[in-house]
């Protein structure tokens, strides 16, 4: 069956949110008063998540279901899925989701490894099911401005250094800090690099294009990567045709002098004698701020839904956002392979 694009530009696209955890809240926030998208239903087997959603969004009037079959049995009319489940959940339900023949906005990563990501993409393409990966930094205003600045000034960086520190955990509870399902490499597919680092690898692809991973080192607390436990810190060195690249991903971060860790992200680009820096609050050229914005995700999430709606309306899914995902997965997989050599 061939997917038909929604032709009307006035009717909102009705979405089902599959998974009602933390990421679901950001999608719901972005959908409120959105001109093109509305979330009309949610699926989650954990009833506690229902209560949280109902308490936080009392006016949303979402229809809630425990499973996909329950949703389909209800005969509720919907146009698309937004998928926000744990990484390992898709292995068992991907075929059932595709059978619904609805466009999909899927939270990163596209898969737990390159082969799974490739299979998901190929299967979606075979049944002509539109697929878009949700990666917010591409649509965050500061990084959009940075990309435009590089393009306008025809700059090619000599070096790029980027870090993303999540600031999670407490210093005095280091031994009890638990990553949950994210700590199991078999279930999650990877640790800090696959989960948080995916954003920064994608951002690098967006800003400077393709590159090769040269070296990678990963740690779990004070232990070097053993290929079994998921890492909470990862360092990468990479090289494109013109640019050396350094990446630092850390679940914790530098000490904040309050018993915790600092949450931080930044990208620094050295272009000849010029240095350009950016984070979610703005862009600086040689220490002079040339752009400022809110660090919050709201605008980026709204724009992401707008992009998803446009793809659905014109039925076009062949662009860099989706085609960059397989190279990203391959680079992450190569980094894990390099890390366990040490």
């Amino acid at each position: 069956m061939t997917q038909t694009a929604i032709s009307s530009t006035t009717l909102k696209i009705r979405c089902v949110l599959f998974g009602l955890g933390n990421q679901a809240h950001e999608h719901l926030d972005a959908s409120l008063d959105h001109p093109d998208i509305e979330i009309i239903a949610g699926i989650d087997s954990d009833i506690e998540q229902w209560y949280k959603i109902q308490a936080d969004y009392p006016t949303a009037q979402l229809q809630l279901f425990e499973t996909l079959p329950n949703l389909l049995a209800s005969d509720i009319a919907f146009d698309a899925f937004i998928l926000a489940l744990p990484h390992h959940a898709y292995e068992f339900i991907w075929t059932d989701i595709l059978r619904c023949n609805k466009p999909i906005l899927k939270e990163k990563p596209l898969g737990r490894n390159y082969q799974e990501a490739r299979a998901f993409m190929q299967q979606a393409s075979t049944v002509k099911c539109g697929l878009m990966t949700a990666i917010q930094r591409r649509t965050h205003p500061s990084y959009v401005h940075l990309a435009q600045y590089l393009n306008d000034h025809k700059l090619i960086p000599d070096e790029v250094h980027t870090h993303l520190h999540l600031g999670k955990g407490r210093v005095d509870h280091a031994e009890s800090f638990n990553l949950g399902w994210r700590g199991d490499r078999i279930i999650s597919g990877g640790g800090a690099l696959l989960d948080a680092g995916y954003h920064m690898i994608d951002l690098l692809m967006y800003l400077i294009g393709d590159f090769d991973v040269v070296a990678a080192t990963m740690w779990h607390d004070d232990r070097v990567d053993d290929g079994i436990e998921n890492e909470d810190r990862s360092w990468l060195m990479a090289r494109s045709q013109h640019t050396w690249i350094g990446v630092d991903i850390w679940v914790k971060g530098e000490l904040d002098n309050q018993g915790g860790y600092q949450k931080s992200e930044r990208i620094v680009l050295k272009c000849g004698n010029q240095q350009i820096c950016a984070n979610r609050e703005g862009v600086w050229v040689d220490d002079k701020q040339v752009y400022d914005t809110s660090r919050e995700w709201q605008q980026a999430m709204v724009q992401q839904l707008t992009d998803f709606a446009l793809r659905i309306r014109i039925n076009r899914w062949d662009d860099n956002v989706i085609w960059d995902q397989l190279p990203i997965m391959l680079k992450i997989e190569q980094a894990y392979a390099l890390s366990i050599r040490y």
Side-chain angles (χ1 to χ4, degrees):
M1 180 169 59
T2 301
Q3 178 181 302
T4 302
I6 298 173
S7 58
S8 171
T9 58
T10 57
L11 295 177
K12 288 189 177 184
I13 293 166
R14 301 160 296 181
C15 294
V16 172
L17 186 54
F18 207 151
L20 300 178
N22 292 337
Q23 193 63 48
H25 287 240
E26 293 190 0
H27 287 295
L28 282 164
D29 287 339
S31 71
L32 298 177
D33 300 319
H34 195 284
D36 303 307
I37 294 279
E38 63 177 337
I39 296 175
I40 63 169
I43 305 174
D44 202 302
S45 59
D46 184 354
I47 305 301
E48 290 297 321
Q49 299 291 2
W50 293 22
Y51 299 146
K52 292 178 183 177
I53 290 292
Q54 289 168 335
D56 291 342
Y57 303 92
T59 63
Q61 297 183 332
L62 299 180
Q63 295 191 54
L64 300 176
F65 303 91
E66 288 189 65
T67 65
L68 178 59
N70 292 154
L71 169 81
L72 300 178
S74 73
D75 289 328
I76 185 173
F78 67 100
D79 304 307
F81 283 113
I82 299 174
L83 306 182
L85 292 165
H87 304 166
H88 59 284
Y90 300 103
E91 176 184 4
F92 307 102
I93 62 173
W94 188 250
T95 301
D96 294 333
I97 291 172
L98 293 183
R99 198 174 288 125
C100 296
N101 197 238
K102 303 291 185 182
I104 296 168
L105 176 63
K106 181 186 180 299
E107 275 297 324
K108 60 80 195 162
L110 182 56
R112 290 172 294 178
N113 52 58
Y114 177 81
Q115 291 299 332
E116 185 173 69
R118 186 168 179 266
F120 285 169
M121 186 182 290
Q122 285 185 331
Q123 291 162 10
S125 177
T126 297
V127 298
K128 295 181 172 57
C129 186
L131 175 62
M132 174 178 166
T133 308
I135 309 171
Q136 294 78 35
R137 278 168 182 78
R138 284 190 184 226
T139 51
H140 195 280
S142 61
Y143 294 127
V144 171
H145 184 87
L146 173 60
Q148 190 63 50
Y149 185 92
L150 294 174
N151 182 67
D152 290 346
H153 293 80
K154 296 179 172 54
L155 294 173
I156 299 176
D158 306 306
E159 296 180 35
V160 175
H161 302 272
T162 185
H163 78 263
L164 176 58
H165 297 169
L166 301 183
K168 293 186 177 181
R170 300 287 299 175
V171 176
D172 55 351
H173 292 91
E175 293 301 321
S176 63
F177 183 57
N178 186 1
L179 297 174
W181 64 265
R182 298 180 187 277
D184 188 319
R185 187 167 293 192
I186 295 176
I187 293 176
S188 65
L193 180 61
L194 179 67
D195 192 50
Y198 197 102
H199 289 290
M200 306 314 284
I201 302 299
D202 178 75
L203 181 59
L204 289 166
M205 291 283 288
Y206 172 57
L207 293 172
I208 66 172
D210 200 11
F211 57 88
D212 296 314
V213 178
V214 176
T217 305
M218 303 184 196
W219 293 76
H220 179 86
D221 290 328
D222 59 353
R223 301 186 301 278
V224 73
D225 180 25
D226 61 4
I228 300 172
E229 285 189 291
N230 269 342
E231 83 289 357
D232 62 9
R233 192 168 193 183
S234 178
W235 289 273
L236 267 69
M237 179 177 289
R239 173 75 186 180
S240 71
Q241 184 177 0
H242 302 284
T243 311
W244 282 105
I245 300 164
V247 181
D248 172 17
I249 309 299
W250 199 0
V251 172
K252 296 176 182 176
E254 302 296 340
L255 298 178
D256 66 1
N257 298 318
Q258 298 178 6
Y261 303 98
Q262 296 178 34
K263 185 175 183 178
S264 172
E265 72 177 71
R266 191 183 192 206
I267 184 165
V268 180
L269 305 95
K270 296 182 179 179
C271 306
N273 295 324
Q274 191 175 62
Q275 179 168 290
I276 307 166
C277 303
N279 58 25
R280 281 163 41 200
E281 296 176 349
V283 180
W284 291 258
V285 177
D286 293 333
D287 296 325
K288 179 181 179 181
Q289 189 164 12
V290 298
Y291 181 78
D292 69 276
T293 186
S294 169
R295 71 183 308 276
E296 300 304 322
W297 289 116
Q298 182 70 9
Q299 186 174 340
M301 295 292 292
V302 169
Q303 183 61 49
Q304 184 172 254
L305 291 183
T306 300
D307 294 345
F308 185 45
L310 178 61
R311 285 171 171 80
I312 293 173
R313 295 195 192 282
I314 66 176
N315 198 25
R316 181 172 178 179
W317 303 90
D318 187 10
D319 62 17
N320 288 342
V321 174
I322 189 64
W323 286 112
D324 279 351
Q325 303 314 301
L326 288 183
I328 290 167
M329 289 300 312
L330 188 58
K331 293 175 199 323
I332 290 172
E333 194 159 292
Q334 289 170 342
Y336 280 115
L338 287 169
S339 174
I340 60 174
R341 292 181 183 179
Y342 301 109

